[in-house]
Amino acid sequence: MFGSTGGLADYRSALLASRGFATLGLAFFGYEDLPNDMSDVDLDYFEEAADWLLSHPKVQDHGIGAVGTSKAGEIVLAMATYMKQVSAAVSISSYSAISYAPLPYKDMVLPCARWMADQIVFTEDRFANVENQLEDITTEPGIHACIQVEKSHCPILFVAGEDDINIPSVFHANKAIDRMKAHGKTNYTLLKYPGTGHLIEPPYTPHCGFYFHGAFRVYVYAGGEPKGHATAQEDSWSKILGFLRKNIDRREARSKL
């Protein structure tokens, strides 16, 4: 799953499928009959998708792996926290708190940290630096938006770039890990990469230092530099594959692909 730009991007799902995984590339807003704005999204939608995938006769029924980038990365953390169907979670370049809008789930609503438009910095060429747009999650009231990842029982892999100028993703990964450590949890792994920006894609995807944000209609800085970013994409992809195989593939004889 991908982030706040909306729509459906299923190339990572296709690549995972080519490695032997049963995959579902899931859009959650801005696509066909789905809501036009991510403020209308609820977590139950993702649970329904997990249940549907697990019901397929060709899918191992012990649990799914959830992989998400940016906004979808925080949704993956929420899924790992509240859903028994999730056996492994990969959160790439994400916040450790619910952002932008509250996230309903069953009979509760997960509070959010606000996006603050006055913290967005525009350059002379009208490109946006949104690194500091999220409300402070270390103080009131933003602290209540932090996802309670310490409740998760599945392994979580955090992937973050040290030069991410879209989301301070290393900071947020460490905040989530601190919560887990404080509760005696060890089911986390952090991959952090120097010279690496926000859009950590599969290997050989060109480095993208900025991109057009379709939902907000503005160009946004992503950070990173080509060599470091390319190295991170190659290394993280192989480790994501290994992480998923280890935690969701329980076949006796595994594919060597």
Side-chain angles (χ1 to χ4, degrees), residues 9-253:
D10 57 3
Y11 53 88
R12 183 181 284 130
S13 293
L15 285 170
L16 287 169
S18 75
R19 302 309 197 272
F21 295 97
T23 63
L24 172 64
L26 189 64
F28 55 96
F29 80 99
Y31 182 74
E32 294 188 347
D33 62 346
L34 293 172
N36 289 323
D37 190 272
M38 60 185 174
S39 62
D40 296 323
V41 172
D42 59 63
L43 197 58
D44 302 87
Y45 170 76
F46 301 93
E47 186 166 49
E48 182 181 354
D51 287 337
W52 180 86
L53 187 59
L54 287 170
S55 71
H56 194 286
K58 297 293 186 180
V59 174
Q60 298 176 48
D61 61 4
H62 56 267
I64 67 161
V67 183
T69 293
S70 196
K71 175 65 180 179
E74 74 191 52
I75 290 171
V76 163
L77 294 179
M79 292 175 69
T81 297
Y82 295 105
M83 297 179 193
K84 65 181 186 303
Q85 298 94 325
V86 179
S87 293
V90 181
S91 178
I92 305 169
S93 304
S94 85
Y95 292 122
S96 59
I98 301 299
S99 69
Y100 182 66
L103 184 64
Y105 180 57
K106 298 188 185 301
D107 59 353
M108 62 181 176
V109 177
L110 306 179
C112 73
R114 297 170 298 134
W115 286 2
M116 300 181 295
D118 61 348
Q119 296 300 310
I120 298 175
V121 177
F122 285 92
T123 62
E124 290 183 0
D125 52 13
R126 301 304 295 167
F127 284 14
N129 183 327
V130 299
E131 185 177 14
N132 297 314
Q133 73 171 344
L134 190 70
E135 183 176 22
D136 187 357
I137 65 161
T138 65
T139 61
E140 299 280 351
I143 194 170
H144 298 292
C146 292
I147 301 165
Q148 297 176 17
V149 286
E150 66 273 12
K151 294 181 177 179
S152 173
H153 296 288
C154 76
I156 300 175
L157 177 63
F158 297 90
V159 183
E162 293 181 356
D163 192 34
D164 185 345
I165 55 174
N166 189 287
I167 290 174
S169 49
V170 172
F171 167 81
H172 279 275
N174 281 320
K175 293 301 291 184
I177 289 170
D178 286 346
R179 291 183 69 102
M180 299 174 82
K181 286 180 177 178
H183 289 80
K185 294 298 189 71
T186 59
N187 53 318
Y188 57 82
T189 302
L190 171 59
L191 304 178
K192 62 177 181 178
Y193 296 98
T196 302
H198 185 64
L199 299 173
I200 303 176
E201 302 280 32
Y204 316 118
T205 304
H207 166 245
C208 184
F210 61 89
Y211 64 97
F212 184 71
H213 198 296
F216 300 145
R217 312 301 296 174
V218 67
Y219 284 95
V220 176
Y221 283 111
E225 52 85 16
K227 183 177 180 180
H229 200 91
T231 299
Q233 290 186 155
E234 186 169 4
D235 184 76
S236 63
W237 176 247
S238 65
K239 288 177 178 173
I240 288 169
L241 290 175
F243 176 82
L244 293 173
R245 286 195 181 106
K246 177 181 177 181
N247 292 296
I248 65 172
D249 187 358
R250 295 184 181 176
R251 294 173 299 169
E252 290 186 7

